[in-house]
CSV table of all heavy atoms in Angstrom, one decimal:
chain,number,residue,atom,x,y,z
A,183,ILE,N,3.1,-11.8,-22.0
A,183,ILE,CA,4.0,-13.0,-21.7
A,183,ILE,C,3.9,-13.3,-20.2
A,183,ILE,O,4.1,-12.5,-19.4
A,183,ILE,CB,5.4,-12.6,-22.1
A,183,ILE,CG1,5.5,-12.3,-23.6
A,183,ILE,CG2,6.4,-13.7,-21.7
A,183,ILE,CD1,6.8,-11.8,-24.0
A,184,GLY,N,3.7,-14.6,-19.9
A,184,GLY,CA,3.7,-15.0,-18.6
A,184,GLY,C,2.3,-14.9,-18.0
A,184,GLY,O,2.1,-15.3,-16.8
A,185,SER,N,1.3,-14.5,-18.7
A,185,SER,CA,-0.1,-14.4,-18.2
A,185,SER,C,-0.7,-15.7,-17.9
A,185,SER,O,-1.6,-15.9,-17.1
A,185,SER,CB,-1.0,-13.7,-19.2
A,185,SER,OG,-1.0,-14.4,-20.4
A,186,ASP,N,-0.1,-16.8,-18.5
A,186,ASP,CA,-0.5,-18.2,-18.2
A,186,ASP,C,0.5,-18.9,-17.2
A,186,ASP,O,0.5,-20.1,-17.0
A,186,ASP,CB,-0.6,-19.0,-19.4
A,186,ASP,CG,0.7,-19.1,-20.2
A,186,ASP,OD1,1.6,-18.3,-19.9
A,186,ASP,OD2,0.8,-20.0,-21.1
A,187,GLN,N,1.4,-18.0,-16.6
A,187,GLN,CA,2.4,-18.6,-15.7
A,187,GLN,C,2.2,-17.9,-14.3
A,187,GLN,O,1.1,-17.9,-13.9
A,187,GLN,CB,3.8,-18.3,-16.3
A,187,GLN,CG,4.0,-19.0,-17.6
A,187,GLN,CD,5.4,-18.6,-18.2
A,187,GLN,OE1,6.2,-17.9,-17.6
A,187,GLN,NE2,5.5,-19.0,-19.5
A,188,ASP,N,3.2,-17.5,-13.7
A,188,ASP,CA,3.1,-16.9,-12.4
A,188,ASP,C,2.3,-15.6,-12.5
A,188,ASP,O,2.7,-14.6,-13.2
A,188,ASP,CB,4.5,-16.6,-11.9
A,188,ASP,CG,4.5,-16.2,-10.4
A,188,ASP,OD1,3.6,-15.4,-10.0
A,188,ASP,OD2,5.4,-16.6,-9.6
A,189,PRO,N,1.2,-15.5,-11.7
A,189,PRO,CA,0.3,-14.3,-11.8
A,189,PRO,C,0.9,-13.1,-11.2
A,189,PRO,O,0.4,-12.0,-11.5
A,189,PRO,CB,-1.0,-14.7,-11.2
A,189,PRO,CG,-0.5,-15.8,-10.2
A,189,PRO,CD,0.6,-16.5,-10.8
A,190,ILE,N,1.9,-13.2,-10.4
A,190,ILE,CA,2.5,-12.1,-9.7
A,190,ILE,C,3.8,-11.7,-10.4
A,190,ILE,O,4.1,-10.5,-10.6
A,190,ILE,CB,2.7,-12.3,-8.2
A,190,ILE,CG1,1.4,-12.5,-7.5
A,190,ILE,CG2,3.6,-11.2,-7.6
A,190,ILE,CD1,1.5,-12.8,-6.0
A,191,ALA,N,4.7,-12.7,-10.8
A,191,ALA,CA,6.0,-12.3,-11.3
A,191,ALA,C,6.0,-12.1,-12.8
A,191,ALA,O,7.0,-11.7,-13.3
A,191,ALA,CB,7.0,-13.5,-11.0
A,192,ASN,N,4.9,-12.3,-13.4
A,192,ASN,CA,4.8,-12.0,-14.9
A,192,ASN,C,5.0,-10.5,-15.1
A,192,ASN,O,4.7,-9.7,-14.3
A,192,ASN,CB,3.6,-12.6,-15.5
A,192,ASN,CG,2.3,-11.7,-15.2
A,192,ASN,OD1,2.2,-10.7,-15.9
A,192,ASN,ND2,1.5,-12.1,-14.3
A,193,PRO,N,5.4,-10.1,-16.3
A,193,PRO,CA,5.7,-8.7,-16.6
A,193,PRO,C,4.6,-7.7,-16.4
A,193,PRO,O,4.8,-6.6,-16.1
A,193,PRO,CB,6.2,-8.7,-18.1
A,193,PRO,CG,6.7,-10.1,-18.3
A,193,PRO,CD,5.9,-11.0,-17.4
A,194,PHE,N,3.4,-8.2,-16.6
A,194,PHE,CA,2.2,-7.3,-16.4
A,194,PHE,C,2.1,-6.8,-15.0
A,194,PHE,O,1.7,-5.6,-14.7
A,194,PHE,CB,0.9,-8.0,-16.8
A,194,PHE,CG,-0.3,-7.1,-16.8
A,194,PHE,CD1,-0.4,-6.1,-17.7
A,194,PHE,CD2,-1.3,-7.3,-15.8
A,194,PHE,CE1,-1.6,-5.3,-17.7
A,194,PHE,CE2,-2.4,-6.5,-15.8
A,194,PHE,CZ,-2.5,-5.5,-16.7
A,195,LEU,N,2.4,-7.6,-13.9
A,195,LEU,CA,2.2,-7.2,-12.5
A,195,LEU,C,3.5,-7.1,-11.8
A,195,LEU,O,3.5,-6.7,-10.6
A,195,LEU,CB,1.4,-8.3,-11.8
A,195,LEU,CG,-0.1,-8.3,-12.2
A,195,LEU,CD1,-0.8,-9.4,-11.4
A,195,LEU,CD2,-0.8,-7.0,-12.0
A,196,ARG,N,4.7,-7.4,-12.4
A,196,ARG,CA,5.9,-7.5,-11.7
A,196,ARG,C,6.2,-6.2,-10.9
A,196,ARG,O,6.7,-6.2,-9.7
A,196,ARG,CB,7.1,-7.9,-12.6
A,196,ARG,CG,8.4,-8.0,-11.9
A,196,ARG,CD,9.6,-8.2,-12.8
A,196,ARG,NE,9.4,-9.4,-13.6
A,196,ARG,CZ,9.2,-9.4,-14.9
A,196,ARG,NH1,9.2,-8.2,-15.6
A,196,ARG,NH2,9.1,-10.5,-15.6
A,197,ASP,N,6.1,-5.1,-11.5
A,197,ASP,CA,6.4,-3.8,-10.9
A,197,ASP,C,5.2,-3.1,-10.2
A,197,ASP,O,5.4,-2.0,-9.8
A,197,ASP,CB,7.0,-2.8,-11.9
A,197,ASP,CG,8.3,-3.4,-12.5
A,197,ASP,OD1,9.1,-4.0,-11.8
A,197,ASP,OD2,8.5,-3.2,-13.7
A,198,PHE,N,4.1,-3.9,-10.1
A,198,PHE,CA,3.0,-3.4,-9.4
A,198,PHE,C,2.7,-4.2,-8.1
A,198,PHE,O,3.3,-4.0,-7.1
A,198,PHE,CB,1.7,-3.4,-10.3
A,198,PHE,CG,1.9,-2.4,-11.5
A,198,PHE,CD1,2.6,-2.7,-12.6
A,198,PHE,CD2,1.4,-1.1,-11.4
A,198,PHE,CE1,2.8,-1.8,-13.6
A,198,PHE,CE2,1.5,-0.2,-12.4
A,198,PHE,CZ,2.3,-0.6,-13.5
A,199,VAL,N,1.9,-5.3,-8.3
A,199,VAL,CA,1.7,-6.2,-7.1
A,199,VAL,C,3.0,-6.9,-6.8
A,199,VAL,O,3.4,-7.1,-5.6
A,199,VAL,CB,0.6,-7.2,-7.5
A,199,VAL,CG1,0.5,-8.2,-6.4
A,199,VAL,CG2,-0.7,-6.5,-7.8
A,200,GLY,N,3.8,-7.3,-7.8
A,200,GLY,CA,4.9,-8.1,-7.6
A,200,GLY,C,6.1,-7.4,-6.9
A,200,GLY,O,7.0,-8.0,-6.4
A,201,SER,N,6.1,-6.1,-7.0
A,201,SER,CA,7.3,-5.4,-6.4
A,201,SER,C,7.4,-5.6,-4.9
A,201,SER,O,8.6,-5.7,-4.4
A,201,SER,CB,7.2,-3.9,-6.7
A,201,SER,OG,6.0,-3.3,-6.0
A,202,GLY,N,6.3,-5.7,-4.2
A,202,GLY,CA,6.4,-6.0,-2.8
A,202,GLY,C,6.7,-7.4,-2.4
A,202,GLY,O,7.1,-7.8,-1.3
A,203,ALA,N,6.5,-8.3,-3.4
A,203,ALA,CA,6.8,-9.8,-3.2
A,203,ALA,C,8.2,-10.2,-3.4
A,203,ALA,O,8.5,-11.3,-3.0
A,203,ALA,CB,5.9,-10.6,-4.1
A,204,ARG,N,9.0,-9.3,-3.9
A,204,ARG,CA,10.4,-9.6,-4.1
A,204,ARG,C,11.3,-9.1,-2.9
A,204,ARG,O,11.1,-7.9,-2.5
A,204,ARG,CB,10.9,-9.0,-5.4
A,204,ARG,CG,10.3,-9.6,-6.6
A,204,ARG,CD,11.1,-9.3,-7.9
A,204,ARG,NE,11.3,-7.9,-8.1
A,204,ARG,CZ,10.5,-7.1,-8.8
A,204,ARG,NH1,9.3,-7.6,-9.2
A,204,ARG,NH2,10.8,-5.8,-8.9
A,205,ASP,N,12.2,-9.9,-2.5
A,205,ASP,CA,13.2,-9.4,-1.5
A,205,ASP,C,12.6,-8.9,-0.2
A,205,ASP,O,13.0,-7.8,0.2
A,205,ASP,CB,14.2,-8.4,-2.2
A,205,ASP,CG,14.9,-9.0,-3.4
A,205,ASP,OD1,15.4,-10.1,-3.3
A,205,ASP,OD2,14.9,-8.3,-4.5
A,206,VAL,N,11.7,-9.6,0.4
A,206,VAL,CA,11.2,-9.1,1.7
A,206,VAL,C,12.4,-9.3,2.7
A,206,VAL,O,12.9,-10.4,2.8
A,206,VAL,CB,10.0,-10.0,2.2
A,206,VAL,CG1,9.6,-9.6,3.6
A,206,VAL,CG2,8.9,-9.9,1.2
A,207,PRO,N,12.8,-8.2,3.4
A,207,PRO,CA,14.0,-8.2,4.2
A,207,PRO,C,13.8,-9.3,5.4
A,207,PRO,O,12.8,-9.4,6.0
A,207,PRO,CB,14.0,-6.8,4.8
A,207,PRO,CG,13.3,-6.0,3.9
A,207,PRO,CD,12.2,-6.8,3.3
A,208,GLU,N,14.9,-10.0,5.6
A,208,GLU,CA,14.9,-11.0,6.7
A,208,GLU,C,14.6,-10.4,8.0
A,208,GLU,O,13.9,-10.9,8.9
A,208,GLU,CB,16.2,-11.7,6.7
A,208,GLU,CG,16.4,-12.8,7.7
A,208,GLU,CD,15.7,-14.1,7.4
A,208,GLU,OE1,15.4,-14.3,6.2
A,208,GLU,OE2,15.5,-14.9,8.3
A,209,GLU,N,15.1,-9.1,8.2
A,209,GLU,CA,14.9,-8.5,9.5
A,209,GLU,C,13.4,-8.1,9.7
A,209,GLU,O,13.0,-7.9,10.8
A,209,GLU,CB,15.8,-7.3,9.7
A,209,GLU,CG,15.7,-6.2,8.6
A,209,GLU,CD,16.6,-6.4,7.4
A,209,GLU,OE1,17.0,-7.5,7.2
A,209,GLU,OE2,16.8,-5.4,6.7
A,210,LEU,N,12.7,-7.9,8.6
A,210,LEU,CA,11.3,-7.5,8.6
A,210,LEU,C,10.4,-8.7,9.0
A,210,LEU,O,9.5,-8.6,9.8
A,210,LEU,CB,10.8,-6.9,7.3
A,210,LEU,CG,9.3,-6.6,7.2
A,210,LEU,CD1,9.0,-5.5,8.2
A,210,LEU,CD2,9.0,-6.3,5.8
A,211,PHE,N,10.8,-9.9,8.5
A,211,PHE,CA,10.0,-11.1,8.7
A,211,PHE,C,10.9,-12.3,8.5
A,211,PHE,O,11.1,-12.8,7.4
A,211,PHE,CB,8.9,-11.2,7.7
A,211,PHE,CG,7.7,-12.0,8.0
A,211,PHE,CD1,7.1,-11.9,9.3
A,211,PHE,CD2,7.3,-13.1,7.2
A,211,PHE,CE1,6.0,-12.7,9.6
A,211,PHE,CE2,6.2,-13.9,7.6
A,211,PHE,CZ,5.6,-13.7,8.8
A,212,PRO,N,11.6,-12.8,9.5
A,212,PRO,CA,12.6,-13.8,9.4
A,212,PRO,C,12.0,-15.2,9.0
A,212,PRO,O,10.8,-15.5,9.2
A,212,PRO,CB,13.1,-14.0,10.9
A,212,PRO,CG,12.7,-12.7,11.6
A,212,PRO,CD,11.4,-12.3,10.9
A,213,ALA,N,12.8,-15.9,8.3
A,213,ALA,CA,12.5,-17.3,7.9
A,213,ALA,C,12.4,-18.1,9.2
A,213,ALA,O,13.2,-17.9,10.1
A,213,ALA,CB,13.4,-17.9,6.9
A,214,GLY,N,11.5,-19.1,9.2
A,214,GLY,CA,11.4,-20.0,10.3
A,214,GLY,C,9.9,-20.3,10.7
A,214,GLY,O,9.1,-20.1,9.9
A,215,PHE,N,9.7,-20.7,11.9
A,215,PHE,CA,8.4,-21.1,12.4
A,215,PHE,C,7.7,-20.0,13.1
A,215,PHE,O,8.4,-19.3,13.9
A,215,PHE,CB,8.4,-22.4,13.2
A,215,PHE,CG,8.8,-23.6,12.5
A,215,PHE,CD1,10.1,-24.0,12.4
A,215,PHE,CD2,7.8,-24.3,11.8
A,215,PHE,CE1,10.5,-25.2,11.7
A,215,PHE,CE2,8.1,-25.5,11.1
A,215,PHE,CZ,9.5,-25.9,11.1
A,216,TYR,N,6.4,-19.9,13.0
A,216,TYR,CA,5.6,-18.9,13.7
A,216,TYR,C,4.4,-19.5,14.3
A,216,TYR,O,3.8,-20.4,13.7
A,216,TYR,CB,5.1,-17.8,12.7
A,216,TYR,CG,6.2,-16.8,12.2
A,216,TYR,CD1,7.0,-17.3,11.2
A,216,TYR,CD2,6.3,-15.5,12.7
A,216,TYR,CE1,8.0,-16.4,10.7
A,216,TYR,CE2,7.3,-14.7,12.2
A,216,TYR,CZ,8.1,-15.1,11.2
A,216,TYR,OH,9.1,-14.3,10.7
A,217,ARG,N,4.0,-19.1,15.5
A,217,ARG,CA,2.8,-19.5,16.1
A,217,ARG,C,1.8,-18.3,15.8
A,217,ARG,O,2.2,-17.2,16.1
A,217,ARG,CB,2.9,-19.7,17.6
A,217,ARG,CG,1.6,-19.9,18.3
A,217,ARG,CD,1.7,-20.4,19.8
A,217,ARG,NE,2.9,-19.9,20.4
A,217,ARG,CZ,3.6,-20.6,21.4
A,217,ARG,NH1,3.1,-21.8,21.8
A,217,ARG,NH2,4.6,-20.1,22.0
A,218,PHE,N,0.6,-18.6,15.4
A,218,PHE,CA,-0.4,-17.6,15.1
A,218,PHE,C,-1.6,-17.9,16.0
A,218,PHE,O,-1.9,-19.0,16.3
A,218,PHE,CB,-0.7,-17.5,13.6
A,218,PHE,CG,-1.6,-18.6,13.1
A,218,PHE,CD1,-2.9,-18.6,13.2
A,218,PHE,CD2,-1.0,-19.7,12.5
A,218,PHE,CE1,-3.7,-19.6,12.7
A,218,PHE,CE2,-1.7,-20.7,12.0
A,218,PHE,CZ,-3.1,-20.7,12.1
A,219,SER,N,-2.3,-16.8,16.3
A,219,SER,CA,-3.7,-17.0,16.9
A,219,SER,C,-4.6,-15.9,16.4
A,219,SER,O,-4.2,-14.9,16.0
A,219,SER,CB,-3.5,-16.8,18.5
A,219,SER,OG,-3.0,-15.5,18.8
A,220,ARG,N,-5.9,-16.3,16.4
A,220,ARG,CA,-7.0,-15.5,15.9
A,220,ARG,C,-8.3,-16.0,16.4
A,220,ARG,O,-8.4,-17.2,16.8
A,220,ARG,CB,-7.0,-15.3,14.4
A,220,ARG,CG,-7.2,-16.6,13.7
A,220,ARG,CD,-7.5,-16.4,12.2
A,220,ARG,NE,-7.6,-17.7,11.4
A,220,ARG,CZ,-8.6,-18.5,11.4
A,220,ARG,NH1,-9.7,-18.2,12.1
A,220,ARG,NH2,-8.6,-19.6,10.7
A,221,ARG,N,-9.3,-15.2,16.3
A,221,ARG,CA,-10.7,-15.7,16.6
A,221,ARG,C,-11.1,-16.7,15.5
A,221,ARG,O,-10.8,-16.5,14.3
A,221,ARG,CB,-11.6,-14.6,16.7
A,221,ARG,CG,-13.0,-15.0,17.3
A,221,ARG,CD,-14.0,-13.8,17.3
A,221,ARG,NE,-13.6,-12.8,18.2
A,221,ARG,CZ,-13.9,-12.8,19.5
A,221,ARG,NH1,-14.7,-13.8,20.0
A,221,ARG,NH2,-13.5,-11.8,20.3
A,222,SER,N,-11.8,-17.7,15.9
A,222,SER,CA,-12.3,-18.7,14.9
A,222,SER,C,-13.3,-18.0,14.0
A,222,SER,O,-14.2,-17.3,14.5
A,222,SER,CB,-12.8,-19.9,15.6
A,222,SER,OG,-13.6,-20.7,14.7
A,223,PHE,N,-13.3,-18.3,12.7
A,223,PHE,CA,-14.3,-17.8,11.8
A,223,PHE,C,-15.5,-18.7,11.9
A,223,PHE,O,-16.7,-18.3,11.5
A,223,PHE,CB,-13.8,-17.9,10.3
A,223,PHE,CG,-12.8,-16.8,10.0
A,223,PHE,CD1,-11.6,-17.2,9.4
A,223,PHE,CD2,-13.1,-15.5,10.2
A,223,PHE,CE1,-10.6,-16.2,9.1
A,223,PHE,CE2,-12.2,-14.5,9.9
A,223,PHE,CZ,-10.9,-14.9,9.3
A,224,VAL,N,-15.4,-19.9,12.4
A,224,VAL,CA,-16.5,-20.9,12.4
A,224,VAL,C,-17.2,-20.8,13.7
A,224,VAL,O,-18.5,-20.8,13.8
A,224,VAL,CB,-16.0,-22.3,12.2
A,224,VAL,CG1,-17.1,-23.3,12.2
A,224,VAL,CG2,-15.2,-22.4,10.9
A,225,THR,N,-16.5,-20.7,14.9
A,225,THR,CA,-17.1,-20.7,16.2
A,225,THR,C,-16.5,-19.4,16.9
A,225,THR,O,-15.4,-19.4,17.4
A,225,THR,CB,-16.8,-21.9,17.0
A,225,THR,OG1,-17.1,-23.1,16.2
A,225,THR,CG2,-17.6,-22.0,18.3
């Protein structure tokens, strides 16, 4: 059930991959804007 719906929240993965996707603490990663930087993959 749900295999044609959300690939993470469906019952097959909810307690495996999906467990880390639920309730990420605000203090760990606050909502809002972030500036990111990394080396370019192209140049």
